[in-house]
Amino acid sequence: MSRIPPLAPADAPILVRLAYRAAAKMVGEVPEPFAVFAHHPKLFFASLTQELAVGKASTRLPVSVRELAVYRVAWTLGCAWCVDFGTMMQRLDGLDIDRLREIGAYATSPKYTDAERAAITYADAMTGTPSTATDEQVVDLEARFGRAGVVELTYQIGLENMRARINSSLGITEQGFSSGDACRVPWQDGQRTAL
């Protein structure tokens, strides 16, 4: 269970309950980070707005490049929830999720393209503390994806660093999305409350 319990629908403002309903319709269950953020409705809606806007705006990169870079950040930082959700997103995008087992050996695995390797290497560089991203990496990525693609990749990697660090710090763990059988959010009273 997360360090801050998810906000039950019965305790949530009406707009948050409507957002819960929409999220459950989109992914099969209310994502636990969503329900934890609901304790601060202004940040809840700021985060929701950002996620929706970034999702709509991220159109320059091949989906596999974007999703693998984001997944690598989650995997590197050890965010079980992000790995779980990221696996589901790749499955829903029609990507080969079996190759995620080889993410640790991406540099030599034949399951990854050169473009995917370049994006994952950049994700590693950005995720390190301090960042070790280089001019050469950006030049290489720009040749592959254009300037807008580099900005999109950088933004997505930075955003996943934020998500993974928040979720891990709040003790939010996997929810069963990767198996296609999402676990119910553990509401405060231990009972599933109608949305």
Side-chain angles (χ1 to χ4, degrees):
M1 176 150 209
S2 60
R3 293 181 177 119
I4 294 178
L7 185 64
D11 300 326
I14 185 71
L15 291 176
V16 171
R17 287 197 307 264
L18 291 172
Y20 280 4
R21 198 171 293 146
K25 195 174 195 177
M26 288 174 63
V27 297
E29 184 59 44
V30 175
E32 190 168 1
F34 213 62
V36 171
F37 265 51
H39 286 285
H40 192 308
K42 288 181 180 178
L43 282 179
F44 172 87
F45 284 108
S47 175
L48 174 62
T49 301
Q50 178 184 22
E51 291 290 347
L52 292 171
V54 169
K56 292 279 186 200
S58 295
T59 59
R60 297 299 181 110
L61 293 172
V63 174
S64 68
V65 169
R66 180 183 67 243
E67 292 297 332
L68 285 169
V70 167
Y71 183 88
R72 175 65 177 203
V73 171
W75 181 85
T76 299
L77 295 176
C79 178
W81 192 90
C82 298
V83 166
D84 178 38
F85 194 79
T87 302
M88 177 194 69
M89 294 304 294
Q90 290 194 44
R91 180 176 41 82
L92 292 176
D93 284 333
L95 302 175
D96 176 10
I97 61 170
D98 289 333
R99 70 188 182 146
L100 297 178
R101 291 187 191 108
E102 294 185 31
I103 195 77
Y106 77 90
T108 57
S109 172
K111 295 192 176 206
Y112 298 94
T113 67
D114 287 340
E116 291 167 344
R117 285 189 194 95
I120 295 169
T121 300
Y122 186 60
D124 284 350
M126 279 186 62
T127 302
T129 304
S131 172
T132 58
T134 65
D135 293 343
E136 293 78 19
Q137 285 177 312
V138 172
V139 167
D140 175 60
L141 292 167
E142 186 178 348
R144 294 172 189 276
F145 308 119
R147 286 187 177 152
V150 175
V151 171
E152 181 178 310
L153 180 62
T154 303
Y155 195 93
Q156 287 281 349
I157 292 167
L159 182 58
E160 184 56 29
N161 266 274
M162 182 183 78
R163 285 186 203 114
R165 291 173 192 277
I166 289 171
N167 292 342
S168 294
S169 295
L170 292 176
I172 299 169
T173 61
E174 67 274 356
Q175 200 171 331
F177 286 113
S178 61
S179 66
D181 185 28
C183 300
R184 301 286 183 212
V185 175
W187 302 112
Q188 285 179 320
D189 60 3
Q191 302 295 315
R192 178 156 164 77
T193 307
L195 299 175

